[in-house]
Amino acid sequence: MSDGKNPIAFPSSARTHAITAKFKEVQRLQQERNALAAGKKGSKTFDPANQRTDSSKASLTESFDKSLYSNGDKFAGYNTSISAADGDNEDEDMDGDGTNRLTGQYTATAAQVNEFARGGPTEEMDIMDSKEKQAQISNRMSDYQRRQFNRKLSPTRADAFAKDGDANADGDGQTYKQVMAEREIEREEERVQRILKDRQAKGEDGVEEHRATLKDKTPPPEEKPADAPRKRKKRWDTDVEATPAPESVNGDAASVTSKRSRWDEPASQTPAPASDSRSSRWDRMAGSGAPAAAAAPAATATPTPAPAPSFIGFGTDISSRNAPLSDQDLDRLLPTEGYKILEPPPGYEYTRIPRPQGPMPPTLFDQQPVDAAAIARAAPEGVPGVGELQFFKESDQAYFGKLADGSDENEMTVEELKERKIMRLLLKVKNGTPPQRKTALRQITDNARQFGAGPLFDQILPLLMEKTLEDQERHLLVKVIDRTLYKLDDLVRPYVHKILVVIEPLLIDQDYFARVEGREIISNLSKAAGLPSMISTMRPDIDHVDEYVRNTTARAFAVVASALGIPALLPFLRAVCRSKKSWQARHTGVKIIQQIAILMGCAVLPHLNGLVDCIGDNLNDEQTKVRTVTSLAIAALAEASSPYGIESFDPILNPLWTGARKQRGKGLAGYLKAVGYLIPLMDEEYASYYTTQIMQILLREFSSADEEMKKVVLKVVSQCANTQGVTSAYLKETVLDEFFKAFWVRRMALDRRNYRQVVDTTVDLGQKVGCGEIVERIVGNMKDEQEAYRKMTLETIEKLIASLGAADIQERLEERLIDGVLYAFQEQSVEDIVMLNGFGTIVNALDTRCKGYLPQIVSTILFRLNNKSATVRQQAADLISRISLVMSHCGEEQLMGKLGVVLYEYLGEEYPEVLGSILGALRSIVTVVGVASMQPPIKDLLPRLTPILRNRHEKVQENTIDLVGRIADRGAESVNAREWMRICFELLDMLKAHKKGIRRAANNTFGFIAKAIGPQDVLATLLNNLRVQERQSRVCTAVAIGIVAETCAPFTVLPALMNEYRVPELNVQNGVLKALSFLFEYIGEMAKDYVFAITPLIEDALIDRDQVHRQTAASVVQHIALGCMGLGVEDALVHLLNLLWPNIYETSPHVIDRIILAVDSIRTAVGPGIVMNYFLPMLFHPARKVREPGWRVYNNCYVQMGDQMVPHFPDLGEVGVREELMVMI
């Protein structure tokens, strides 16, 4: 201040007025000076609001959009900050958009708008991203899940339960006391930051954000008031305050060394000479010539590299021309008055990429095309002891780069060698080929205790924290942890918290298998470390300041409880849930019990009393969040224990009902959810009473605009309706009117979240009050102008009629129903399966009552079959398939004949999906009408179907084969044998189709055709097909031969099949044996007549050198033995057993499995006594390869026929008999 008075003498208010008056005086003088300058120029006027003069250029102010470029606050209506807290911090009484509305909400909610803008949690990846980026787990995470990267791996903890009793004697880890002290500091820091944020939001922090700065009237530093509030030091002011400018006697700033812009630093390290231009604090950030920059290295412990030498440009050097403008240049170019230098916004961080020192990168013309993906994933060459890897990502260099640095391992210490050994093994596990991974994983597992827990986890856990990790890599690294836990056992105690930091995020992963892996790791960890160690490690995280940490800790504690037992953890949970020190601890304790109920299900029943007792008092907690999570935990316990356990909830019923009357918003939603799960557990009398009491609150909340509240209310209404004690009369009088008024509105049909719940609740109400009552109320909606609303109505009616039938639908309601269905079906703009299912269900339920409406329905179908849209035609054909049985019941053969002719004309359809539906409709008509009455005649229809068999579309193939098989089964005489043989040749290609249904249909059709025209010609075709090289075709042919044998009797097939075995070709003989296997499997007991005839062929196969021969022959023996059990062919089976037994020493797993099955089948047929003579001598043989198959057969025999083995055990004589005991007996 220029008056020289000490500002300390002013009181607070007086000082404020003085400063304000002084500032206004300076502002007035500035405006007068600017106005005078504008008057001298003559053509410009000065605007005092923005301190700028008008330009001589054309003005844009006359035609601009004032809604976009108005002078008002451009941030009006926007949030000025983003809350860092979770969704639970919202005001309970507010609606979804943050307003205290009392009216209904008729626009999209904020959550829906955000989802449409940013996509849901399961939104597909950006197709422009690279495949590597799409495969990364972090790119699929939600914002909440990404908070795991905010956590750091904690220091190693001291083992408080070590045997030496003094785990931290050498300072090798944090003690429990130190960890709790850190948590206390974090909580205090979070509290202070929250207070500062609140003050800043209210404008009480003393910092003026858009304050104008006048550079020529800055008061000197020494004249600042001594007791004035200290301005907070910002990083922008660090250098300015460190280097004050020298001052003259009169208080004005003295001439100082001219400042350079920080942009000039790389180009010149020589300080610029002094000039009259003013310095700016922006330029004191960097620059070797500034005093602040020279003093900065002395104040820091980090060494600063020496500046690079300057190079003087010559020739065509244009670097100075491209350099950024300095402050001196800007002062010369721009007027010195009328401008101000703006302060950087709060929180601004300038990020500058340092200029590389060295040769410049190649220009556009020098660059060569390179494959970036190949470089990123190429493994480094020359990594000793690793071998060839599948890939090597760029991020792996940070973890495995040491392996390629070329260091001499002979000079390394033992610890360094151990570190490199672990590094190589982990690199093989993560990036190696499957054999490399298997070998490395086994080495890590076997040597885990030699490596030690520290070196292992210090390398594994940082890898799991990497953001570029993919699913396969994470799975492999988690498997490494799982394997090492078994080996390390209690050695993992100092690293329990580190492991939990990495594994806990898996518990909330989107992938189900990742969640299972996480639970398995934590379960094994708790068994290895023990309950005391787990509690002491996880206790500090229970009241952590971060809600994410508390949430994942609660889930981890639930896994610990499931692994070590709820009773062991119950005392600790009781203490946590009743904590008086921290509400976060109570909240987390209740959440642990909720997660235990979700995870363990009905296993909580034995401990239900203790769990409810832990959380019962929290229903009256002073914190809203604690009350809410308590009600949700009670709901989870009730759901897990259903339909038992109501006695355990008796103590909390009264506070639950009392709280439900007091709560509002999210708290009320939790209480209602708990009530909804408790009512089904009650007896009828109590259920009726409590439903009556809670229904008043439900009816009031019908009009709530909160989406979550709607979902809960609908669920509770559904649960109450399903309870035995609630009568239909009560629901009709009290609930139905308000329910349909609140929820059956058009807007609900567009709400994806509650659409399904409204339909299910309506169906549950219909189960109690009857189908007619509900249909009467909503049948008019099928003529609504909104298609989504019509679809919702038809889906509800379809579910009601499918479960309850149409018996209570009156005649007038029946007419309205058919009328509405026809209207909804015809007016749909998008063909939906819901409409098709609803139409078919309603018509089939009404059955013969539809007779009067069939002409109109058929005319609608015919009209839509002629539509130009393929989906419309397909839907019409599908509808014929669904209502053809009803048309048959109503005696409408004429209408069906008309439909058959029309469908026959449409067999030239070009779209395969539509053609498949048309063929399906023809098949349904043939089924109900019969071959004789079919229009068009079968002799005209079948030739049209033969070319369609060549269509490669799966739906067309399946429906065509089914239709041909139906014709062959019911009207084969209508078509000559030549046509059937042509169809057989077409069907051969269907035997190797990918879809199992097509292969099954083709095999069945072979059986029908063989029955129609005789097996000889069909069998000749099939036997020729055994000669092809494709295995799948030969297998399907063998199945078809078995079906033909079952259909036409085995004696028609076996001679030709046995004769075909004489062909000296491996594929043919294998095919014959496989056909015999299917044949004896299908014919069952009929095999007894053919056992002796087939035995020589099986003898030859069982002594063949080819393993596959013996394997397939064993399958034949298996099916023969199972089919002929107790039918008098035991001598042949014993003969086959003699040939089969030498194969028991085979090493191939496929062969030995078939041999064991065949032996077990013969044992079932001939009894265990005979087979025991074979394996008893093997049980105690000195050779392990002899003992193992013997014990395998013995174990199977003991499990299946243990009682029948007793008479056949050998007599071991007098071994172990005590003579004196026998005398006493």
Side-chain angles (χ1 to χ4, degrees):
M1 297 182 181
S2 60
D3 56 3
K5 294 181 181 180
N6 189 355
I8 299 177
F10 285 101
S12 177
S13 60
R15 184 170 69 248
T16 303
H17 290 305
I19 294 174
T20 305
K22 193 70 177 175
F23 178 80
K24 289 183 178 180
E25 178 67 15
V26 172
Q27 190 177 26
R28 183 180 61 79
L29 294 174
Q30 178 74 29
Q31 291 175 358
E32 291 176 357
R33 197 162 49 247
N34 290 336
L36 182 62
K40 290 179 181 179
K41 295 179 182 179
S43 61
K44 297 182 180 181
T45 58
F46 178 73
D47 184 4
N50 55 15
Q51 298 185 358
R52 288 179 181 268
T53 55
D54 290 342
S55 172
S56 60
K57 296 180 181 179
S59 175
L60 299 175
T61 56
E62 283 140 44
S63 59
F64 75 120
D65 189 348
K66 304 219 163 143
S67 63
L68 296 176
Y69 304 103
S70 62
N71 291 330
D73 185 7
K74 65 179 180 179
F75 299 109
Y78 291 88
N79 292 331
T80 56
S81 64
I82 299 176
S83 175
D86 58 353
D88 293 340
N89 288 334
E90 297 176 0
D91 191 356
E92 293 177 357
D93 295 330
M94 287 189 178
D95 288 337
D97 59 351
T99 60
N100 292 318
R101 281 192 307 237
L102 298 177
T103 58
Q105 184 178 1
Y106 297 102
T107 58
T109 62
Q112 290 172 322
V113 172
N114 291 337
E115 181 175 343
F116 295 145
R118 294 194 293 265
T122 59
E123 187 180 12
E124 294 182 359
M125 292 291 175
D126 187 357
I127 60 175
M128 299 301 292
D129 286 343
S130 64
K131 291 183 179 180
E132 297 175 15
K133 192 172 182 181
Q134 292 179 12
Q136 293 175 3
I137 301 171
S138 58
N139 290 330
R140 301 195 302 268
M141 290 181 176
S142 63
D143 293 336
Y144 184 78
Q145 290 171 327
R146 287 195 184 97
R147 289 168 68 173
Q148 66 170 298
F149 299 118
N150 298 336
R151 300 188 72 183
K152 304 298 181 185
L153 290 175
S154 59
T156 304
R157 301 284 176 89
D159 187 2
F161 304 97
K163 295 179 181 179
D164 56 2
D166 189 6
N168 204 33
D170 300 328
D172 56 348
Q174 283 187 324
T175 62
Y176 177 78
K177 182 178 179 180
Q178 293 171 341
V179 175
M180 293 301 291
E182 283 189 2
R183 290 291 182 270
E184 191 64 32
I185 294 173
E186 290 176 1
R187 279 193 292 273
E188 180 64 20
E189 182 181 355
E190 192 269 341
R191 185 186 67 83
V192 173
Q193 288 180 352
R194 189 170 63 250
I195 292 175
L196 292 177
K197 286 182 180 179
D198 293 342
R199 288 183 178 178
Q200 188 174 2
K202 296 177 182 178
E204 298 176 0
D205 57 349
V207 178
E208 292 181 298
E209 289 189 1
H210 301 288
R211 179 171 55 86
T213 56
L214 299 176
K215 298 176 62 176
D216 54 346
K217 291 294 182 179
T218 304
E222 71 274 5
E223 294 184 2
K224 291 183 180 179
D227 62 346
R230 180 175 174 270
K231 184 179 179 182
R232 288 192 299 176
K233 188 176 180 181
K234 299 182 179 180
R235 58 179 173 274
W236 306 100
D237 305 325
T238 301
D239 294 328
V240 180
E241 294 178 8
T243 312
E247 300 180 0
S248 61
V249 178
N250 57 4
D252 294 331
S255 61
V256 296
T257 303
S258 176
K259 285 181 54 181
R260 295 174 299 101
S261 172
R262 64 178 182 274
W263 305 103
D264 297 333
E265 180 185 353
S268 173
Q269 299 293 335
T270 305
S275 65
D276 58 349
S277 59
R278 292 166 300 188
S279 64
S280 170
R281 67 185 182 197
W282 292 87
D283 300 322
R284 302 195 186 186
M285 302 281 295
S288 59
T300 60
T302 305
T304 303
S310 301
F311 295 97
I312 301 175
F314 63 94
T316 59
D317 183 17
I318 60 171
S319 59
S320 60
R321 190 185 311 170
N322 295 330
L325 295 175
S326 64
D327 283 352
Q328 295 89 338
D329 298 332
L330 292 173
D331 289 338
R332 285 193 292 269
L333 290 173
L334 300 174
T336 58
E337 297 177 351
Y339 289 88
K340 63 179 180 180
I341 299 178
L342 298 178
E343 290 185 353
Y348 172 78
E349 294 183 5
Y350 177 75
T351 304
R352 179 181 170 217
I353 302 175
R355 194 172 181 178
Q357 301 293 338
M360 295 297 292
T363 63
L364 179 65
F365 304 100
D366 299 328
Q367 293 179 356
Q368 299 294 330
V370 294
D371 188 358
I375 292 177
R377 302 184 70 85
E381 296 180 0
V383 178
V386 174
E388 186 176 355
L389 301 175
Q390 282 185 320
F391 58 88
F392 191 88
K393 297 193 295 188
E394 186 177 355
S395 58
D396 294 335
Q397 187 68 29
Y399 302 99
F400 304 107
K402 285 185 179 180
L403 298 176
D405 60 0
S407 301
D408 186 6
E409 295 189 356
N410 295 324
E411 300 177 357
M412 295 183 182
T413 63
V414 176
E415 295 300 324
E416 291 176 340
L417 290 174
K418 185 188 297 183
E419 179 188 6
R420 286 179 172 258
K421 175 68 173 175
I422 297 173
M423 201 176 294
R424 287 193 191 95
L425 293 176
L426 287 178
L427 183 58
K428 289 180 182 179
V429 170
K430 182 175 177 291
N431 298 351
T433 60
Q436 285 179 323
R437 289 202 303 261
K438 186 176 180 181
T439 306
L441 191 58
R442 175 164 294 182
Q443 290 183 18
I444 291 177
T445 306
D446 294 341
N447 302 319
R449 296 189 76 89
Q450 286 77 17
F451 288 144
L456 276 172
F457 291 127
D458 287 344
Q459 295 196 48
I460 298 173
L461 299 181
L463 280 172
L464 280 165
M465 298 287 285
E466 174 61 40
K467 292 184 179 181
T468 61
L469 212 60
E470 299 178 8
D471 290 294
Q472 173 74 359
E473 297 168 346
R474 181 178 68 179
H475 167 71
L476 293 170
L477 292 174
V478 168
K479 183 186 286 187
V480 172
I481 295 179
D482 193 18
R483 299 281 180 87
T484 53
L485 285 179
Y486 286 109
K487 291 287 186 178
L488 294 173
D489 200 34
D490 58 347
L491 295 179
V492 302
R493 285 176 182 165
Y495 304 93
V496 168
H497 193 265
K498 281 187 175 183
I499 297 173
L500 288 175
V501 168
V502 173
I503 299 299
E504 280 177 353
L506 294 180
L507 300 177
I508 58 172
D509 197 88
Q510 297 174 356
D511 185 14
Y512 168 77
F513 297 102
R515 297 196 299 271
V516 171
E517 281 183 339
R519 288 197 289 266
E520 185 178 351
I521 292 291
I522 295 176
S523 176
N524 295 334
L525 181 63
S526 59
K527 293 173 184 175
L531 182 62
S533 180
M534 295 298 293
I535 289 178
S536 63
T537 303
M538 300 170 71
R539 163 64 187 89
D541 291 339
I542 285 182
D543 52 355
H544 197 279
V545 294
D546 189 359
E547 188 274 337
Y548 172 85
V549 177
R550 300 199 303 270
N551 180 22
T552 53
T553 302
R555 295 171 187 267
F557 256 119
V559 178
V560 173
S562 67
L564 302 180
I566 295 177
L569 205 61
L570 206 54
F572 172 74
L573 291 178
R574 184 176 289 108
V576 171
C577 293
R578 297 176 182 177
S579 170
K580 296 181 179 179
K581 184 178 179 182
S582 170
W583 71 266
Q584 287 98 337
R586 297 195 301 273
H587 183 277
T588 308
V590 177
K591 196 158 195 175
I592 292 171
I593 294 179
Q594 179 196 15
Q595 293 299 322
I596 288 174
I598 294 172
L599 181 63
M600 300 185 64
C602 62
V604 303
L605 271 173
H607 322 287
L608 195 56
N609 286 328
L611 293 173
V612 174
D613 180 60
C614 286
I615 63 176
D617 296 338
N618 293 326
L619 282 173
N620 299 320
D621 197 275
E622 59 183 6
Q623 285 288 336
T624 305
K625 287 186 176 182
V626 178
R627 295 197 302 268
T628 302
V629 77
T630 304
S631 60
L632 294 175
I634 292 173
L637 287 171
E639 183 181 10
S641 60
S642 177
Y644 309 105
I646 187 60
E647 299 84 4
S648 302
F649 295 100
D650 281 340
I652 55 96
L653 288 180
N654 188 29
L656 192 63
W657 255 260
T658 305
R661 294 187 180 95
K662 297 179 181 178
Q663 299 295 323
R664 291 292 185 274
K666 290 186 177 180
L668 177 59
Y671 276 71
L672 290 178
K673 188 174 183 180
V675 171
Y677 281 104
L678 283 175
I679 286 179
L681 308 184
M682 301 178 182
D683 296 334
E684 294 184 10
E685 179 182 355
Y686 293 101
S688 177
Y689 170 75
Y690 283 111
T691 299
T692 305
Q693 296 297 315
I694 203 66
M695 195 57 70
Q696 301 172 3
I697 303 175
L698 292 175
L699 293 176
R700 184 190 70 205
E701 295 299 325
F702 276 177
S703 58
S704 172
D706 186 17
E707 300 295 327
E708 188 65 27
M709 178 62 75
K710 286 181 181 178
K711 189 181 299 183
V712 172
V713 166
L714 288 169
K715 182 66 176 176
V716 176
V717 171
S718 175
Q719 290 168 325
C720 292
N722 286 328
T723 306
Q724 293 295 330
V726 180
T727 63
S728 61
Y730 173 77
L731 293 176
K732 290 179 182 178
E733 295 173 3
T734 311
V735 180
L736 286 187
D737 292 336
E738 295 296 328
F739 173 78
F740 282 99
K741 180 180 177 182
F743 293 106
W744 274 91
V745 292
R746 294 177 180 175
R747 182 174 175 271
M748 195 59 66
L750 299 174
D751 189 353
R752 292 187 301 173
R753 291 169 178 80
N754 293 325
Y755 168 91
R756 180 63 51 201
Q757 191 64 50
V758 170
V759 173
D760 293 342
T761 304
T762 308
V763 173
D764 290 335
L765 288 171
Q767 299 282 351
K768 184 72 71 172
V769 302
C771 176
E773 182 74 25
I774 302 296
V775 173
E776 180 71 35
R777 292 174 180 266
I778 64 176
V779 68
N781 298 337
M782 285 197 291
K783 287 192 173 183
D784 193 86
E785 59 184 12
Q786 189 185 63
E787 183 174 357
Y789 197 35
R790 297 197 301 265
K791 173 187 169 185
M792 175 179 170
T793 304
L794 189 56
E795 183 177 358
T796 305
I797 293 175
E798 185 257 331
K799 289 188 174 183
L800 280 170
I801 292 179
S803 59
L804 299 176
D808 59 342
I809 295 181
Q810 305 299 324
E811 184 177 356
R812 175 57 186 157
L813 182 58
E814 172 191 310
E815 294 177 0
R816 296 175 61 198
L817 183 61
I818 295 295
D819 187 32
V821 168
L822 281 171
Y823 179 86
F825 189 74
Q826 293 176 6
E827 294 297 323
Q828 56 182 329
S829 59
V830 178
E831 283 63 38
D832 200 334
I833 190 66
V834 173
M835 294 289 184
L836 186 62
N837 291 338
F839 205 145
T841 302
I842 291 172
V843 171
N844 280 278
L846 293 175
D847 201 31
T848 55
R849 296 163 65 181
C850 283
K851 183 175 177 62
Y853 313 111
L854 284 179
Q856 187 177 359
I857 294 174
V858 171
S859 64
T860 302
I861 292 173
L862 291 174
F863 176 76
R864 294 177 72 82
L865 275 175
N866 200 28
N867 195 289
K868 64 180 180 180
S869 172
T871 54
V872 174
R873 298 197 300 271
Q874 178 183 346
Q875 192 185 45
D878 289 333
L879 183 58
I880 295 175
S881 303
R882 301 189 182 225
I883 67 172
S884 57
L885 186 61
V886 176
M887 296 174 71
S888 174
H889 292 168
C890 296
E892 296 289 347
E893 283 79 8
Q894 184 176 359
L895 279 176
M896 297 180 71
K898 184 178 180 181
L899 286 175
V901 172
V902 173
L903 292 173
Y904 174 75
E905 293 172 354
Y906 280 105
L907 284 178
E909 173 65 49
E910 58 179 332
Y911 291 97
E913 288 286 347
V914 184
L915 180 58
S917 297
I918 291 173
L919 290 167
L922 278 172
R923 182 190 58 194
S924 62
I925 292 176
V926 169
T927 303
V928 299
V929 171
V931 176
S933 304
M934 179 63 189
Q935 291 296 328
I938 296 299
K939 61 182 181 64
D940 296 334
L941 177 61
L942 195 63
R944 288 290 303 272
L945 298 177
T946 307
I948 301 176
L949 284 171
R950 302 190 187 98
N951 194 307
R952 287 292 170 261
H953 194 271
E954 291 183 346
K955 183 179 179 181
V956 175
Q957 285 182 336
E958 189 171 4
N959 286 334
T960 306
I961 296 171
D962 278 343
L963 178 55
V964 171
R966 199 66 52 88
I967 295 174
D969 185 27
R970 302 190 179 189
E973 66 279 357
S974 303
V975 183
N976 58 31
R978 189 184 299 270
E979 187 68 28
W980 285 124
M981 285 305 301
R982 187 180 297 115
I983 292 175
C984 281
F985 282 111
E986 297 290 346
L987 285 177
L988 286 177
D989 289 336
M990 305 301 154
L991 294 176
K992 56 184 179 181
H994 293 290
K995 190 175 180 181
K996 187 176 181 181
I998 298 175
R999 300 198 300 268
R1000 183 189 297 115
N1003 286 328
N1004 293 333
T1005 303
F1006 265 113
F1008 294 139
I1009 295 176
K1011 187 177 180 181
I1013 65 174
Q1016 287 77 20
D1017 295 334
V1018 176
L1019 191 60
T1021 304
L1022 292 174
L1023 291 177
N1024 287 331
N1025 207 37
L1026 284 177
R1027 302 174 186 270
V1028 299
Q1029 292 294 324
E1030 192 174 5
R1031 179 185 174 275
Q1032 188 180 26
S1033 180
R1034 287 186 279 112
V1035 170
C1036 293
T1037 302
V1039 174
I1041 291 174
I1043 292 176
V1044 170
E1046 181 188 13
T1047 307
C1048 304
F1051 66 86
T1052 61
V1053 176
L1054 272 176
L1057 204 56
M1058 295 172 67
N1059 186 62
E1060 193 72 15
Y1061 186 78
R1062 298 170 61 185
V1063 176
E1065 188 177 339
L1066 195 63
N1067 286 342
V1068 176
Q1069 292 182 348
N1070 284 335
V1072 169
L1073 290 172
K1074 192 167 287 293
L1076 289 173
S1077 175
F1078 287 116
L1079 187 150
F1080 286 110
E1081 181 182 359
Y1082 293 159
I1083 65 176
E1085 294 183 357
M1086 287 191 291
K1088 65 180 178 61
D1089 299 324
Y1090 310 99
V1091 171
F1092 295 100
I1094 204 69
T1095 300
L1097 188 148
I1098 301 176
E1099 283 181 14
D1100 181 79
L1102 285 175
I1103 62 176
D1104 197 282
R1105 296 182 61 181
D1106 184 28
Q1107 278 188 340
V1108 180
H1109 264 65
R1110 288 180 272 129
Q1111 173 184 330
T1112 315
S1115 297
V1116 178
V1117 174
Q1118 172 193 349
H1119 294 302
I1120 290 176
L1122 292 177
C1124 301
M1125 185 174 57
L1127 297 180
V1129 293
E1130 287 77 9
D1131 50 350
L1133 295 179
V1134 172
H1135 176 61
L1136 293 176
L1137 178 61
N1138 292 328
L1139 297 170
L1140 194 65
W1141 194 258
N1143 296 283
I1144 205 168
Y1145 301 109
E1146 282 289 344
T1147 56
S1148 171
H1150 299 287
V1151 177
I1152 189 62
D1153 286 344
R1154 297 295 179 86
I1155 298 297
I1156 295 294
L1157 284 174
V1159 170
D1160 290 343
S1161 302
I1162 293 178
R1163 187 200 67 229
T1164 304
V1166 304
I1170 297 176
V1171 181
M1172 286 178 68
N1173 294 328
Y1174 289 82
F1175 65 74
L1176 281 178
M1178 303 168 57
L1179 297 182
F1180 303 100
H1181 196 278
R1184 180 174 58 86
K1185 291 186 178 180
V1186 177
R1187 292 196 307 271
E1188 283 186 351
W1191 278 105
R1192 183 174 179 181
V1193 177
Y1194 170 79
N1195 290 335
N1196 291 344
C1197 185
Y1198 183 81
V1199 170
Q1200 298 171 13
M1201 295 183 170
D1203 53 341
Q1204 300 179 37
M1205 291 174 62
V1206 175
H1208 305 286
F1209 279 117
D1211 184 9
L1212 300 180
E1214 302 296 329
V1215 178
V1217 177
R1218 294 171 58 187
E1219 297 295 340
E1220 63 274 14
L1221 180 61
M1222 298 302 295
V1223 170
M1224 290 294 297
I1225 293 175

